[in-house]
Amino acid sequence: MSQSPLLDHLLELRRRLLIGVIVVLALFSVLAFFADDLYSWLAAPMLASLPQGSTLIATDVATPFFTPFKLALVVSIALAVPVLLWQLWAFIAPGLYQREKRLVVPLMVSSSLLFYAGIAFAYFVVLPLALNFLANAAPEGVTVATDIASYLDFVLAIFMAFGIAFETPVAIILLCWTGVTSVTSLRAKRPYVIVGAFAVGMVLTPPDVISQTLLAIPMWLLFELGLLIASLYQHKPPSAAPESD
């Protein structure tokens, strides 16, 4: 009998994971038919930055076949993020208080939207500028010929960096809400945060000032947004305290 609750939790976890896997596979089964089109869309910024008549290349025999399918799988996982987060929410919801439930649901929705916003910002703003800079930075006599698999890995790293960076407001709200830190403390550390944002930009983006700045500035602005929202949440505990008494 003592193991029954644990077994129930494990079975519930398996069910939630299975639902997530099924959703990802269902999306992949559809997107696989458009794998080449997806890669053409992804390669558009790179092709636009290359000299006239230049194209991407494949240095491995199987690369032209597997690379588009790899992209289709990654896109399937990205599109399934709201479902995956909902399954996570459904698993942990029974152990949360009502006040916590009211906070978690908006955070999950906003985290999904911010993640997609980060990817969109990277694709439409960062990639064209960064790729154009890198392509024109080649020494005289050097022809830029990028492998399609290497380009995919490069772009996915950029997408992941900006997707995670755009989660800054959610991270700040959670840190303040759980008591790990406070809005006042974070405001006092604002100069260090700005320097840290540029340091993160240097690590996560290509070695050019443009893409580093385009990551650091949104991180700083999202930090300020997170402080604003966290300050609104911090006003609630004092009013809730008399009710608990």
Side-chain angles (χ1 to χ4, degrees):
M1 292 296 294
S2 60
Q3 294 182 352
S4 180
L6 177 60
L7 181 60
D8 291 340
H9 285 304
L10 292 176
L11 292 176
E12 178 67 12
L13 177 61
R14 185 185 68 174
R15 189 172 76 88
R16 297 298 175 184
L17 290 175
L18 184 60
I19 293 175
V21 171
I22 291 175
V23 171
V24 172
L25 292 179
L27 289 171
F28 177 72
S29 65
V30 175
L31 294 178
F33 291 99
F34 306 97
D36 291 340
D37 295 328
L38 286 174
Y39 195 89
S40 297
W41 173 79
L42 188 72
M46 186 69 205
L47 294 175
S49 65
L50 292 176
Q52 187 70 24
S54 299
T55 62
L56 297 175
I57 64 173
T59 58
D60 191 18
V61 176
T63 298
F65 176 78
F66 286 109
T67 301
F69 284 106
K70 177 182 177 181
L71 174 61
L73 178 60
V74 173
V75 173
S76 301
I77 296 174
L79 292 178
V81 164
V83 177
L84 299 177
L85 289 177
W86 180 259
Q87 295 306 313
L88 175 63
W89 154 250
F91 178 72
I92 66 174
L96 299 178
Y97 294 106
Q98 190 63 34
R99 184 175 66 89
E100 295 171 337
K101 292 180 180 180
R102 288 197 298 267
L103 177 63
V104 170
V105 173
L107 285 180
M108 285 195 170
V109 174
S110 60
S111 62
S112 298
L113 295 178
L114 286 171
F115 183 76
Y116 292 140
I119 293 177
F121 182 80
Y123 179 81
F124 291 105
V125 179
V126 178
L127 277 182
L129 295 174
L131 292 175
N132 186 65
F133 173 85
L134 294 174
N136 293 328
E140 186 71 23
V142 175
T143 301
V144 179
T146 305
D147 177 66
I148 61 174
S150 299
Y151 175 72
L152 176 60
D153 294 338
F154 171 82
V155 172
L156 291 181
I158 293 293
F159 284 174
M160 185 60 64
F162 277 83
I164 294 176
F166 271 57
E167 300 290 341
T168 301
V170 176
I172 291 176
I173 294 172
L174 288 176
L175 289 174
C176 295
W177 180 58
T178 55
V180 175
T181 186
S182 64
V183 174
T184 303
S185 176
L186 289 176
R187 283 174 177 164
K189 297 181 175 66
R190 180 180 283 113
Y192 304 101
V193 171
I194 296 175
V195 174
F198 279 91
V200 171
M202 293 176 60
V203 173
L204 297 182
T205 59
D208 64 278
V209 178
I210 296 176
S211 57
Q212 293 169 5
T213 304
L214 288 176
L215 177 60
I217 292 180
M219 286 186 64
W220 172 42
L221 296 178
L222 290 169
F223 168 78
E224 299 294 340
L225 176 62
L227 288 181
L228 177 62
I229 299 176
S231 64
L232 298 178
Y233 276 106
Q234 279 196 338
H235 288 304
K236 293 183 178 180
S239 61
E243 297 179 5
S244 60
D245 292 336

